Amino acid sequence: MLTALAIRDVVLIEALDLEFGPGLGTLTGETGAGKSILLDALGLALGVRADSGLVRNGADQAVVTASFDLPADHPAHILLAENGLDGEPGEPLVIRRIVKADGGSRAAINGQPAPAATLRELGAMLIEIHGQHDDRGLLNPRGHRALLDAFGRIDTRPAADAFRTWRDAQTALVTAREDLDAAARDREWLDHAVAELDAFAPEPGEEATLAGERSDMQKGAKLAEDLTAVGAHLDGSEGAFAQLRQAARRLDRIGAEHPLLADALAALDRAIIEAGEAEDRLAAAGNALSFDPARLETVEARLFDLRALARKHRVEPDGLAALRDELSARLNRIEAGEGGIAALEKQAAAARATYAAAAEALTTARTAAAARLDAAVAGELTPLKLDAARFKTVVDAQDEGGWSAAGRDRVEFEISTNPGAPFASLMKIASGGELSRFILALKVALAEEGGAATMIFDEIDRGVGGAVASAIGERLSRLAKKAQLLVVTHSPQVAARGDSHWLIAKSHDGLVTRTGVRPLDSDERREEIARMLSGAEITQEARAQAARLLEVV
C-alpha cells in the first residue's frame, strides 16, 4: 500500500507531502488544476522514463519520494533480495527518484542506488495505473494467461514439473545422439587409441615414481666411486673402524692408571658407536643409490614413452588413465548403439505424453475458468452502459513450438463493442471511455485474486454521468475493499464514494503559479462535490444534492 508521497519541484508543484490510507481515495479539481502532474510525479517514482521538462522552472532538480507498507509475502521482497537491495518484511519500502534540470536522473531504493530497470520492475509490482491510454496491465495480452489462472485458482505446478522432466529427457536424448554421432565418426581412431592405452596401461602417479627412481639411479652412478672410497677408509683391518677398536683395547688396559685415561676411553667408545652408525647408513645409502644400468635404461624408456603418449593425446601424464576410461566409455556407447538411444527416445516420449496430459488438463481448466470470467464481466457491462458490448476470453492451444512450463495455451481478452462487430484485442478499442470502463469491469471480476496492492484510475468516468457514474462509483468502492484505490475523477457520484478526498488546485501570487493538493474535511468535501454538481456558482440545491450523495454511501 502507498502510504506517503513527497514531491519537490515537479512542474507547478513546489513542495507537496501527502499521506494515504487504505480504501478508496478520490482526487478532484478544476480542469487544468494539475492532476496529471501528480500522476507524472508518481510515475517517476515507479520508474517511468525521466524527462528534464518535469523539473520546475528555476529549480536544479525534481525529487519524488514514495513510501510503501508491504506484507511479508509480497513478491517485491524477493526482487529486492535478488538485486542485493536491503528490505526487511515489516519495514517501509522507500523509493526516491531525482531528475536534474540539465538531464540525467538517479534512483534509490531504501537508500541504496538502483538502476531504472529495477525501479520499473518493482513499480509494476507495487501500483497499477489504469488510464485511457495505458498500454500495460490488463491491456497487455502477455499477462492475460496469468490473470485467468489466478481467477480460476488453477494450479500450474503439475504441468511445470512435467515440462521440466520432458525438457531434461529431450536434452539427454539430443546429447546422446550427438555423442553417438561424434563417436561413430571417430571409431577407427578410438579403437587404435584405446588399444594403445590398454597396452601401455598407464597408472596415476606413475610419472613421479619413474622420475624419482631415475633420479636416484643417476645420482648413484655419480656417487658410486666416492661411496666405495669412503667404505674402504672405514672397513678392513687397516680401516678407521678397526684402528679405533685397537686403540680402545689398548687404552682399556691402562685406563685405570689415571682418570684422564678413563675419560679418553669413554670418548673412544662413543666414537666407535658413531662410526658404526655411519657404516650402517652408508650401506643403506648404497642400497638406495644402487646403480643398475639395465634397470635405468628400462625406467628411462618407460618414462619417455609415458611423456610422449601424454603429448600425443594433449593431456598430462597423470591424465592418461582417465583418458583411457573416457575413450573406452565412448567405445561402449558406440557398441551400445541404437539400443541406448531407443531407451532415451522411449523416456522422452513418455515424458512428452505426461506433459501433454497435464497441459490438456490446464486447457480444460482454463476453458472452464474463461467461461466463468466471461459471465462475470458480462454482468458488469450493462450497469456501466456497455450493454451492447460483448467480452470473451480466448483460450487457444498452440502447436508444440509454443509449449512451455505454463502450458500450451495462448490466452487473450477480446471484446466487441457493437452488435455484429468482430471481436478484437482490448488494445484496439477506439473509445477511451469504453476502454476505461472495460478495465473497471475486468478489475471487479478479477477482484478476488486482485493484482497490485494499489491501483490508480485516471478519469475512468470521463464522458459519463448519472446512473453510469453511480455504477462506476459503486464498483470502485467494492474494489477498494480488496485493495487501495486512488481515483482521479470529475464525477460527483464517484467522489462521494471515497473514504478520503483530496482537492487539487492552482494558486497564483502574481508571479508564480503553483499546484497544491490538500485533504478535505467533511464540510469541505460537501462543498467540493456541490461545485462538481453545479459548476462555477455553487447553489444551495447543489449543496443539498451533495449531502444526499454523501449520505447514500
Side-chain angles (χ1 to χ4, degrees), residues 263-344:
D263 291 342
L265 178 59
L268 275 176
D269 288 340
R270 290 195 299 272
I272 291 170
I273 293 172
E274 293 289 341
E277 292 181 358
E279 188 177 40
D280 292 340
R281 294 187 181 184
L282 282 171
N287 291 332
L289 296 173
S290 61
F291 170 60
D292 180 353
R295 176 60 184 167
L296 177 60
E297 183 178 351
T298 300
V299 168
E300 285 185 334
R302 176 73 179 180
L303 179 61
F304 295 156
D305 288 345
L306 180 70
R307 290 172 174 172
L309 193 59
R311 287 194 298 272
K312 177 180 178 181
H313 290 286
R314 298 180 181 178
V315 296
E316 294 297 323
D318 282 349
L320 285 172
L323 177 64
R324 177 184 58 192
D325 294 340
E326 178 187 339
L327 297 182
S328 295
R330 288 174 63 182
L331 272 179
N332 290 336
R333 286 197 293 271
I334 293 177
E335 293 169 0
E338 294 299 325
I341 296 296
L344 289 174

Side-chain angles (χ1 to χ4, degrees), residues 256-534:
E257 300 296 329
H258 194 280
L260 291 175
L261 294 177
D263 291 342
L265 178 59
L268 275 176
D269 288 340
R270 290 195 299 272
I272 291 170
I273 293 172
E274 293 289 341
E277 292 181 358
E279 188 177 40
D280 292 340
R281 294 187 181 184
L282 282 171
N287 291 332
L289 296 173
S290 61
F291 170 60
D292 180 353
R295 176 60 184 167
L296 177 60
E297 183 178 351
T298 300
V299 168
E300 285 185 334
R302 176 73 179 180
L303 179 61
F304 295 156
D305 288 345
L306 180 70
R307 290 172 174 172
L309 193 59
R311 287 194 298 272
K312 177 180 178 181
H313 290 286
R314 298 180 181 178
V315 296
E316 294 297 323
D318 282 349
L320 285 172
L323 177 64
R324 177 184 58 192
D325 294 340
E326 178 187 339
L327 297 182
S328 295
R330 288 174 63 182
L331 272 179
N332 290 336
R333 286 197 293 271
I334 293 177
E335 293 169 0
E338 294 299 325
I341 296 296
L344 289 174
E345 287 176 339
K346 186 176 180 180
Q347 292 175 9
R352 182 189 183 280
T354 300
Y355 169 76
E360 176 65 27
L362 274 184
T363 300
T364 301
R366 284 169 175 156
T367 301
R372 296 197 302 273
L373 179 60
D374 293 351
V377 173
E380 299 293 332
L381 295 180
T382 298
L384 294 174
K385 205 176 179 180
L386 293 169
D387 45 304
R390 292 174 297 156
F391 172 88
K392 73 174 180 179
T393 304
V394 177
V395 180
D396 281 338
Q398 305 296 291
D399 58 28
E400 191 166 318
W403 294 4
S404 70
R408 63 185 186 182
D409 304 314
R410 181 188 68 85
V411 175
E412 184 171 359
F413 302 146
E414 293 186 351
I415 64 167
S416 169
T417 56
N418 297 297
F423 281 90
S425 169
L426 283 173
M427 297 185 72
K428 296 181 179 179
I429 298 176
S431 167
E434 287 179 332
L435 177 58
S436 297
R437 280 177 280 153
F438 262 113
I439 289 174
L440 178 58
L442 260 176
K443 288 305 298 185
V444 172
L446 296 168
E448 286 301 319
E449 298 305 322
T454 299
M455 287 178 278
I456 296 176
F457 287 88
D458 182 15
E459 299 188 3
I460 194 171
D461 49 12
R462 177 183 290 271
V464 300
V468 177
S470 294
I472 291 175
E474 188 276 330
R475 278 151 179 79
L476 289 170
S477 180
R478 192 196 320 168
L479 190 58
K481 291 178 172 58
K482 302 291 182 180
Q484 179 191 45
L485 260 67
L486 298 175
V487 180
V488 176
T489 179
H490 290 286
S491 168
Q493 292 90 341
V494 173
R497 288 278 181 174
D499 298 300
S500 52
H501 190 155
W502 291 270
L503 177 65
I504 305 173
K506 284 183 180 178
S507 62
H508 308 270
D509 62 4
L511 295 175
V512 179
T513 300
R514 297 181 177 87
T515 290
V517 181
R518 63 183 181 88
L520 302 181
D521 60 25
S522 57
D523 291 337
E524 291 172 326
R525 187 178 182 193
R526 183 187 61 194
E527 196 72 4
E528 170 62 8
I529 293 175
R531 180 199 63 77
M532 298 171 72
L533 286 165
S534 63

Side-chain angles (χ1 to χ4, degrees), residues 535-553:
E537 182 180 350
I538 303 176
T539 66
Q540 290 302 319
E541 183 181 13
R543 290 188 176 96
Q545 178 63 21
R548 285 193 291 271
L549 284 176
L550 290 169
E551 288 173 1
V552 169
V553 299

Side-chain angles (χ1 to χ4, degrees), residues 90-122:
E91 296 292 327
L93 172 64
V94 180
I95 300 175
R96 182 180 176 88
R97 187 84 180 275
I98 298 174
V99 181
K100 295 183 178 180
D102 57 0
S105 70
R106 64 180 185 272
I109 299 174
N110 289 338
Q112 304 159 93
T118 301
L119 200 61
R120 283 192 295 272
E121 188 174 359
L122 181 61

